[in-house]
Amino acid sequence: MINRPTPKKVRIRRSMMFMNAQKPNLLKDAYIYGVDSIIMDLEDAVAENQKDSARFSLFNTLKNIDYGDTEVIVRINGLDTPHWQEDVRVCVAAGVDGIRIAKCESADDVRTVEKAVAAAEAEFGVESGRTLLMAALESPIGIMHAYEICTASTRLFGVAISAGDLRKSLHVKSEPGGVEMFTARSQVVMAARAAGVQCFDTMWPNLDDEAGFEAETIQARQLGFDGKSLINPRQIAFVHQTFAPTKAEIAYAEKLIRSFNAQQDSGIGVYTVDGKLVDVPFFDDARRVLAQAKAIGIYHGEL
Ligand SMILES: CC(=O)SCCNC(=O)CCNC(=O)[C@H](O)C(C)(C)COP(=O)(O)OP(=O)(O)OC[C@H]1O[C@@H](n2cnc3c(N)ncnc32)[C@H](O)[C@@H]1OP(=O)(O)O
Ligand SMILES: O=C([O-])CC(=O)C(=O)O
Ligand SMILES: [Mg+2]
């Protein structure tokens, strides 16, 4: 396993909302939506003949707007394009928090971007290691290499599955219940958890099908994702609610920890709380739930 520094605080990333870097009016107000992360897109949302102007507009916005606590990530163009190196230089010079590597296929792709980021940090006098990475897995080979990608760099905080491109390669379409994505989604979650990084579900493109969006979001949480990529502000509230512990989950976690604290000297490792068996993994998970609820700001207890 890669020797990854222990993060001081795990950053909550329930929502990562895309916006087109070509549109300065979107970028300038981006922080008002309260998403956890903004993804300013230089890739597929930007027409090929607008790449330079979108990058220029992005740089000016980033230099002039204070995004406060909202994490700012830029999706750069793929490594098979003539754009990505300049994208990296501009992102680093502008001081972004992270770079999303589009269509990442291998650990080498991550290391190639990492090298360019390190060079740009040196070039622009940016603190070494400040610029984080995440990778979007959008092809069968990217999914097959998920674990190597997840462990390729200490800068890499997570991976996203990107179903628009993946479905294209698999020759499938979006099906009710997401059956066509089930294996890939599970593989991404497994790889991310094995590597100790976060994982994010893909965006839902059909803005008029709210029920479909909600079902997919719930399934992503059930599969173990930390959050979801979004394309529109009307998707934020449901995603934030779904990727947070419920009141009942918080109350039960508190109860478990209290019972553990009360019982730990009794010499009994396993017993029941509310009729359910509990032992070490259940206590560990309860601690994770409370830490997550605290980080989101919905639990203020002392545990
Ligand atoms: C497959 C992929 O690669 S997906 C990733 C790349 N794609 C993107 O970045 C696209 C992001 N999303 C969008 O551009 C838009 O939401 C669209 C084109 C899908 C739909 O646009 P609209 O029909 O205008 O959406 P809608 O009517 O819901 O917009 C309502 C308001 O939210 C704003 N808004 C919409 N999407 C976003 C967004 N992603 N970020 C910030 N603001 C947004 C609109 O500007 C509008 O503001 P206004 O009321 O002040 O005019
Ligand atoms: O990352 C995403 O969800 C959007 C995307 O590029 C895709 O679906 O191909
Ligand atoms: Mg894509």
Side-chain angles (χ1 to χ4, degrees), residues 17-21 23 25-27 29-30 33 39-41 43-46 75 103 138 164-165 202-203 205 207 230-234:
M17 188 164 79
F18 278 109
M19 51 197 68
N20 186 340
K23 299 189 174 169
N25 58 324
L26 286 190
L27 303 189
D29 295 334
Y33 292 112
I39 308 173
M40 300 177 173
D41 190 23
E43 201 222 9
D44 284 352
V46 177
R75 179 166 78 166
K103 299 182 175 62
E138 316 201 29
D165 276 285
T202 187
M203 56 92 212
L207 292 172
L230 312 182
I231 53 155
N232 190 279
R234 69 179 99 148

Side-chain angles (χ1 to χ4, degrees), residues 81-100:
T81 71
H83 310 298
W84 74 270
Q85 280 157 306
E86 197 52 22
D87 293 347
V88 167
R89 287 183 72 247
V90 162
C91 287
V92 172
V96 300
D97 297 312
I99 288 176
R100 179 165 170 135

Side-chain angles (χ1 to χ4, degrees), residues 5-297:
T6 313
K8 289 183 199 85
K9 182 181 156 203
V10 175
R11 185 163 191 136
I12 294 293
R13 297 184 179 94
R14 299 159 295 177
S15 54
M16 309 191 106
M17 188 164 79
F18 278 109
M19 51 197 68
N20 186 340
Q22 232 176 317
K23 299 189 174 169
N25 58 324
L26 286 190
L27 303 189
K28 80 177 171 27
D29 295 334
Y31 58 90
I32 64 172
Y33 292 112
V35 282
D36 295 324
S37 311
I38 298 164
I39 308 173
M40 300 177 173
D41 190 23
L42 290 170
E43 201 222 9
D44 284 352
V46 177
E48 187 61 28
N49 64 0
Q50 297 299 314
K51 296 290 187 189
D52 291 338
S53 69
R55 198 187 295 118
F56 183 71
S57 160
L58 175 94
F59 180 77
N60 284 320
T61 308
L62 289 172
K63 282 310 232 187
N64 289 303
I65 308 283
D66 178 3
Y67 288 89
D69 288 340
T70 307
E71 181 177 49
V72 176
I73 294 173
V74 175
R75 179 166 78 166
I76 60 168
N77 285 285
L79 274 64
D80 57 346
T81 71
H83 310 298
W84 74 270
Q85 280 157 306
E86 197 52 22
D87 293 347
V88 167
R89 287 183 72 247
V90 162
C91 287
V92 172
V96 300
D97 297 312
I99 288 176
R100 179 165 170 135
I101 308 170
K103 299 182 175 62
C104 183
E105 302 213 310
S106 65
D108 273 349
D109 284 355
V110 176
R111 287 191 282 263
T112 300
V113 176
E114 182 181 48
K115 228 169 134 187
V117 166
E121 285 177 345
E123 180 182 354
F124 296 106
V126 172
E127 183 196 343
S128 168
R130 184 200 134 75
T131 320
L132 301 181
L133 297 176
M134 68 175 293
L137 311 183
E138 316 201 29
S139 62
I141 195 70
I143 301 290
M144 297 299 288
H145 289 158
Y147 180 70
E148 293 100 289
I149 290 171
C150 287
T151 52
S153 164
T154 51
R155 290 183 192 251
L156 190 129
F157 66 78
V159 285
I161 184 167
S162 297
D165 276 285
L166 187 55
R167 285 195 187 97
K168 177 192 74 178
S169 304
L170 292 175
H171 305 172
V172 297
K173 60 183 173 40
S174 178
E175 298 288 351
V179 64
E180 82 291 355
M181 279 293 118
F182 190 73
T183 303
R185 280 192 167 112
S186 303
Q187 248 174 287
V188 169
V189 173
M190 206 66 73
R193 290 284 171 258
V197 301
Q198 293 177 322
C199 48
F200 312 100
D201 192 36
T202 187
M203 56 92 212
W204 174 262
N206 188 350
L207 292 172
D208 293 334
D209 180 4
E210 243 173 83
F213 164 69
E214 292 184 2
E216 180 173 272
T217 304
I218 290 168
Q219 187 190 61
R221 170 149 193 226
Q222 289 170 338
L223 285 170
F225 284 97
D226 295 292
K228 189 165 172 65
S229 305
L230 312 182
I231 53 155
N232 190 279
R234 69 179 99 148
Q235 300 176 323
I236 300 167
F238 191 78
V239 160
H240 279 193
Q241 174 196 318
T242 306
F243 285 99
T246 62
K247 277 192 182 141
E249 286 165 345
I250 294 170
Y252 187 65
E254 255 194 310
K255 203 167 181 176
L256 286 202
I257 301 303
R258 286 194 200 288
S259 78
F260 173 81
N261 290 345
Q263 293 258 8
Q264 61 180 335
D265 296 328
S266 70
I268 300 168
V270 62
Y271 49 93
T272 60
V273 173
D274 293 351
K276 287 175 249 167
L277 176 149
V278 291
D279 61 5
V280 173
F282 297 86
F283 301 129
D284 289 347
D285 199 54
R287 286 187 198 97
R288 182 192 60 77
V289 168
L290 292 186
Q292 187 194 14
K294 240 181 209 172
I296 293 171

